[in-house]
Amino acid sequence: MTGKFLTFTPETGDPLRLRWVNVAFFGAFHALALLAPWFFSWPALALLMFLHWLFGSIGICLGYHRLLSHKSFQVPKWLEYAIAIIGSLALQGGPIFWVGGHRQHHAHTEDINLDPYSAQRGFWWSHILWIFYPRPEFFDYQIYHKYAPDLSRQPFYRWLDRYFLLMQIPFALLLYFLGGWPFVIYGVFLRSVLLWHSTWLVNSASHLWGYRTFENNDGARNLWWVSLVTYGEGWHNNHHTYPYMAKSGLSWWEIDITWWSIKLLQILGLAKKVVSTPPHRVKLK
């Protein structure tokens, strides 16, 4: 399935419509990211690496994923909101959209109709085409918010889900004030593109390649190089086996940088009820 994708709904045969606004938006970011060599500076490169970690590991992996989607640990509400703001700056959607979609993915993993980014539709569908051919059941707030009722009940998350895109403007202006166009190119456009593809590889590559430690009914796999660029999210077979665990890397060689941050919060007394010990599970031979 790596070379094919479906642009229709298998259940009904109805064609999916290409949303050109989405294509133009992501295309513009990729084009502007290609300007990076002409705006290179060492501070800009350092900014890129820092923001990729901050927005990726802390905002998305720790915040949107392990904290909000799976509730694998708890933090004070002020810290939870701060982490959610960091996640929204990653430009991967608002928190209700992200969490709602991810919970649908776990509830119907690889179901060709019900999983938003089902790997059964092919590599490119699960990587990016699910965004270019948006289905209303995954992108309509009136539908996806039902999968995240704990967030949609809170005015803060409703506001963040609606205005996360506008928050990029003051952030970009701040970067321009601090370092001019190199900071904007590296801190907004190149960082967004690299972080998008890093995250999307969990949906695509980690459902197609890698090894399986546990027997599951889905194709989620552990893929070391995806874990390197996603701060531990590539141990996907582990995660689908124990989705409510705060730790994804279970073997000593499975490096999980996001878990280190959670452990630090726990040591500081900021993270409580951390789910870190899995129940007994028989491994594959």
Side-chain angles (χ1 to χ4, degrees):
M1 296 296 290
T2 58
K4 300 179 180 179
F5 60 89
L6 303 178
T7 56
F8 60 88
T9 303
E11 191 174 45
T12 63
D14 296 334
L16 298 174
R17 294 184 178 181
L18 182 65
R19 185 168 177 80
W20 287 104
V21 172
N22 293 5
V23 174
F25 177 82
F26 286 95
F29 265 69
H30 280 72
L32 290 168
L34 292 175
L35 297 175
W38 288 272
F39 290 89
F40 175 81
S41 72
W42 290 110
L45 181 61
L47 175 72
L48 165 67
M49 297 173 65
F50 171 72
L51 291 181
H52 190 282
W53 166 79
L54 179 65
F55 293 168
S57 182
I58 303 302
I60 297 298
C61 303
L62 184 151
Y64 273 18
H65 189 205
R66 305 189 197 189
L67 175 62
L68 297 182
S69 295
H70 295 295
K71 297 185 178 296
S72 59
F73 63 100
Q74 296 178 4
V75 296
K77 186 61 71 174
W78 65 266
L79 181 57
E80 177 186 314
Y81 285 175
I83 293 172
I85 290 173
I86 293 172
S88 70
L89 290 173
L91 263 180
Q92 296 189 13
I96 301 175
F97 164 79
W98 204 102
V99 170
H102 189 72
R103 288 176 178 173
Q104 290 179 74
H105 168 66
H106 272 273
H108 310 286
T109 304
E110 295 181 357
D111 185 297
I112 206 165
N113 283 311
L114 301 178
D115 182 348
Y117 24 87
S118 172
Q120 292 300 310
R121 286 176 172 262
F123 175 90
W124 288 110
W125 175 269
S126 56
H127 193 75
I128 190 173
L129 290 177
W130 69 281
I131 300 173
F132 288 174
Y133 292 88
R135 296 171 60 185
E137 57 265 44
F138 307 132
F139 285 83
D140 185 340
Y141 177 83
Q142 297 305 319
I143 300 176
Y144 70 70
H145 89 277
K146 297 177 182 178
Y147 289 85
D150 50 327
L151 302 186
S152 62
R153 284 193 296 265
Q154 302 180 53
F156 171 79
Y157 284 117
R158 293 198 301 271
W159 179 88
L160 198 58
D161 201 69
R162 177 175 295 182
Y163 296 112
F164 79 94
L165 192 58
L166 292 178
M167 293 173 59
Q168 307 301 319
I169 297 175
F171 177 68
L173 291 174
L174 174 63
L175 292 185
Y176 181 79
F177 174 77
L178 293 175
W181 285 112
F183 271 33
V184 175
I185 296 296
Y186 277 77
V188 176
F189 298 107
L190 184 57
R191 181 267 308 165
S192 294
V193 169
L194 294 178
L195 188 53
W196 284 334
H197 287 285
S198 298
T199 304
W200 296 339
L201 283 169
V202 178
N203 303 334
S204 54
S206 292
H207 276 267
L208 295 171
W209 304 300
Y211 64 90
R212 303 179 69 204
T213 303
F214 303 97
E215 182 64 77
N216 285 332
N217 295 324
D218 58 60
R221 298 174 180 273
N222 295 324
L223 196 53
W224 68 269
W225 55 269
V226 172
S227 281
L228 289 183
V229 298
T230 57
Y231 308 98
E233 299 293 85
W235 310 120
H236 212 44
N237 172 250
N238 296 346
H239 173 62
H240 272 257
T241 304
Y242 305 116
Y244 300 106
M245 277 190 60
K247 184 179 183 181
S248 288
L250 301 183
S251 299
W252 67 266
W253 67 84
E254 294 175 340
I255 298 174
D256 186 355
I257 294 177
T258 299
W259 164 247
W260 299 348
S261 298
I262 296 172
K263 191 64 179 177
L264 176 60
L265 290 176
Q266 186 179 35
I267 292 172
L268 295 175
L270 293 173
K272 306 289 187 180
K273 298 183 179 180
V274 179
V275 182
S276 58
T277 304
H280 177 69
R281 187 73 174 241
V282 178
K283 294 185 177 181
L284 285 172
K285 294 182 179 179

